[in-house]
Amino acid sequence: MLGQRDQAVPESVKKVMQKPRVRERAPDWGRRRVMPGTPLLLCCYLAYLALGTSVFQALESSAAPDYEEASLQAKWALIHNYTCLDRAALEALIREIIREHKLGIIFPSNTTSMGRWELAGSFFFSVSTITTIGYGNLSPQTMGARLFCILFAFLGIPLNLVLLNRLGCLMLSWVQHWAHWLGGTQKDQTRARWFVGSCAFFSGLLLFFLLPPLLFTHMEGWSYEEGFYYSFITLSTVGFGDYVIGMNPDRRYPVWYKNVVSMWILFGMAWLALIINLVISLMESSTVLCPCSQRNPCRTWRSTGDIKPPTPKSTPGNSGGKPTRS
């Protein structure tokens, strides 16, 4: 009897009965899983910077006293060797002074700037390393610190890129959220997107480019134009090294100064990367700058060989099931 009942049930009904139930997900499940990871990633990033700061400080500060004494003796020996200068000797002296200044020797005082490898200086060097700014004003002198710098940058640069991408996505989600809320109240999504996008752009411009030069003018004695120039060269990771904070031996800098500038570099790079990606997308979608993308959008993302020809349509009434070209 049981065998006859099983045979009476159609196969299609059996497949439906045996099909496992799929759990329905909430519409915003992906968003809830992505955003809470940002504070954890930021904490890992800061912990990694703290590790690099402590190691660089331990390796370089231990060798600083011996190197400082040798540097001072080399400085006075260098000056005494050039008592009477011709043009070639003067150029050689200038090159030596520039090289010694990069190593931490201050002319014409009787001190050196080996204190740059203290806590704030080591932290700022760690930030400039993994953000690939690389001013060039400070570099490790011991072999152990150089080998650690290679490993630190090898793991820190990908971590920095992941964090910048996450912060950029977080900023973009905030902008989209406010645009959606404002568009719902004003019943105009397009105008709300333009308004919120403009506010985000100008607020970022004010926070990362227009206000920091005032701080640099006060702390470094630069002009406002020099501070603005330093802000863009730093956040764009160009890092020429002609302007670097905390390098004037005649000024006393507070401890929080370089730490605040390091956080400004991190969030400013994320905001600038978001703006640059927006400009790239606008340039790629422009018919004036790239008219080929409008005629064949697939060519901008795929090569010619990846584009498949369109498949011919088939009609139900065609004999033999052969397709007919439309």
Side-chain angles (χ1 to χ4, degrees), residues 1 6-7 22 27 32 38 55 85 108 117 122 126 132 155 171 176 193-194 228 230 241 249 257 262 277 291 311 320:
M1 295 291 292
D6 291 341
Q7 292 178 0
V22 180
R32 292 179 181 177
T38 304
V55 173
L85 300 179
W117 286 110
S122 300
S126 302
T132 68
L155 299 177
M171 293 178 184
Q176 292 175 347
R193 284 196 298 267
W194 276 102
F228 186 83
Y230 169 78
Y257 178 50
S262 300
N277 288 332
T311 55

Side-chain angles (χ1 to χ4, degrees), residues 123-124 127 131 133 135 164 167 171 204-216 222 226-237 243 245 256-272:
F123 181 77
F124 189 72
V127 172
T131 53
I133 296 175
Y135 292 110
L164 290 181
L167 291 177
M171 293 178 184
L205 187 65
L206 178 68
L207 186 62
F208 297 117
F209 281 101
L210 299 181
L211 291 180
L214 298 177
L215 176 64
F216 300 142
W222 300 339
E226 291 173 334
F228 186 83
Y229 168 78
Y230 169 78
S231 300
F232 182 80
I233 294 300
T234 297
L235 296 185
S236 61
T237 69
Y243 288 91
I245 64 167
W256 55 265
Y257 178 50
K258 286 190 175 182
N259 298 330
V260 169
V261 173
S262 300
M263 292 296 100
W264 165 76
I265 289 175
L266 176 62
F267 289 95
M269 285 178 60
W271 177 82
L272 188 61

Side-chain angles (χ1 to χ4, degrees), residues 27 116 135-136 151 157 166 179 198 203 205 229 273 289 292 322:
R116 291 183 295 177
Y135 292 110
L151 180 62
I157 291 174
R166 184 66 63 88
S198 301
S203 60
L205 187 65
Y229 168 78
L289 297 177
C292 58
K322 295 181 179 181

Side-chain angles (χ1 to χ4, degrees), residues 12 34-35 54 59 74 85 95 101 107 133 141 161 166 172-173 175 179 183 223 242 250 258-260 292 295 319:
S12 60
V34 171
M35 287 307 160
S54 59
L59 293 176
L85 300 179
R95 287 196 297 268
H101 180 73
F107 288 88
I133 296 175
Q141 300 299 317
L161 293 177
R166 184 66 63 88
L172 184 61
S173 66
V175 172
S223 64
D242 49 353
D250 298 329
K258 286 190 175 182
N259 298 330
V260 169
C292 58
R295 288 177 295 191
S319 59

